[in-house]
């Protein structure tokens, strides 16, 4: 399926919120020129951030971990975008963000789950009641 949508994902650190030489890491998702920022809940050492490469410099365990985290995040955002395309949904930057965060999926209430369970096992319950009428006392005395 061809699409005329354009998506880009950029990682950046917010230098205006530096605390103890650590800055928060953000992802900027852009779809058709509209954009939204997503706080990734990670703090990055400012000294290790490479603006040209858009990743952390060095081979320290922390740098490797955060670079892998950014790669995984990019892949998950792109997968969310692909899921929206395949489902035929309208592609907006908010829809991609909601799909990535899992906010677009409805979680059933306990009442809805109980209703589904009752409906699924309705025949089984009726057969059980019927067997109790035909063979009364089996469950108490055994065969």
């Amino acid at each position: 399926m061809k699409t005329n949508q354009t998506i880009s994902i950029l990682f950046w650190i917010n230098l205006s919120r530096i605390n103890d030489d650590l800055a928060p890491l953000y992802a900027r998702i852009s779809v058709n020129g509209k954009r939204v920022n997503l706080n990734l809940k990670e703090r990055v050492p400012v000294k290790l951030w490479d603006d040209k490469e858009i990743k952390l410099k060095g081979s320290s365990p922390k740098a490797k971990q955060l670079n892998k985290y950014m790669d995984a995040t990019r892949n998950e955002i792109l997968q969310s975008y692909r899921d929206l395309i395949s489902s035929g949904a309208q592609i907006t930057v908010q829809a991609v963000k909601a799909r990535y965060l899992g906010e677009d999926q409805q979680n059933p209430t306990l009442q809805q789950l109980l209703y589904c369970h009752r409906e699924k096992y309705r025949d089984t319950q009726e057969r059980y009641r019927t067997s109790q009428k035909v063979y009364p006392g089996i469950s108490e005395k055994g065969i």
Side-chain angles (χ1 to χ4, degrees):
M1 171 182 213
K2 287 215 168 200
T3 178
N4 294 335
Q5 310 287 332
T6 60
I7 184 169
S8 69
I9 303 163
L10 171 75
F11 294 97
W12 58 285
I13 59 173
N14 191 344
L15 296 175
S16 67
R17 296 182 183 241
I18 295 175
N19 189 6
D20 296 330
D21 287 331
L22 296 173
L25 179 64
Y26 285 84
R28 176 174 290 150
I29 306 169
S30 300
V31 176
N32 295 333
K34 306 287 184 194
R35 63 186 186 190
V36 67
N37 292 327
L38 181 65
N39 187 343
L40 298 180
K41 309 284 193 260
E42 290 288 339
R43 299 192 65 78
V44 175
V46 177
K47 294 176 185 176
L48 295 180
W49 184 253
D50 186 354
D51 277 332
K52 287 185 179 182
E53 296 291 323
I54 309 176
K55 65 179 188 177
L56 277 82
K57 299 182 258 184
S59 59
S60 69
K62 180 75 172 172
K64 287 181 179 180
Q65 175 199 5
L66 286 171
N67 287 333
K68 284 182 182 179
Y69 175 66
M70 288 188 294
D71 288 340
T73 301
R74 180 186 312 277
N75 291 334
E76 289 172 15
I77 292 170
L78 288 173
Q79 186 60 48
S80 299
Y81 174 73
R82 287 186 206 107
D83 290 345
L84 288 171
I85 290 174
S86 66
S87 69
Q90 184 177 5
I91 310 295
T92 65
V93 70
Q94 293 298 333
V96 173
K97 179 182 176 183
R99 176 64 57 102
Y100 170 72
L101 294 174
E103 295 171 349
D104 66 336
Q105 300 167 356
Q106 296 179 352
N107 295 323
T109 63
L110 180 58
Q111 186 176 13
Q112 291 168 331
L113 289 173
L114 289 173
Y115 176 78
C116 290
H117 183 269
R118 274 196 314 268
E119 291 301 310
K120 182 177 180 181
Y121 294 105
R122 178 185 302 266
D123 289 340
T124 303
Q125 291 172 352
E126 288 177 17
R127 289 183 186 131
Y128 174 77
R129 288 188 199 108
T130 302
S131 69
Q132 291 301 306
K133 290 178 187 174
V134 174
Y135 304 107
I138 286 182
S139 61
E140 299 160 4
K141 298 177 185 174
I143 295 181

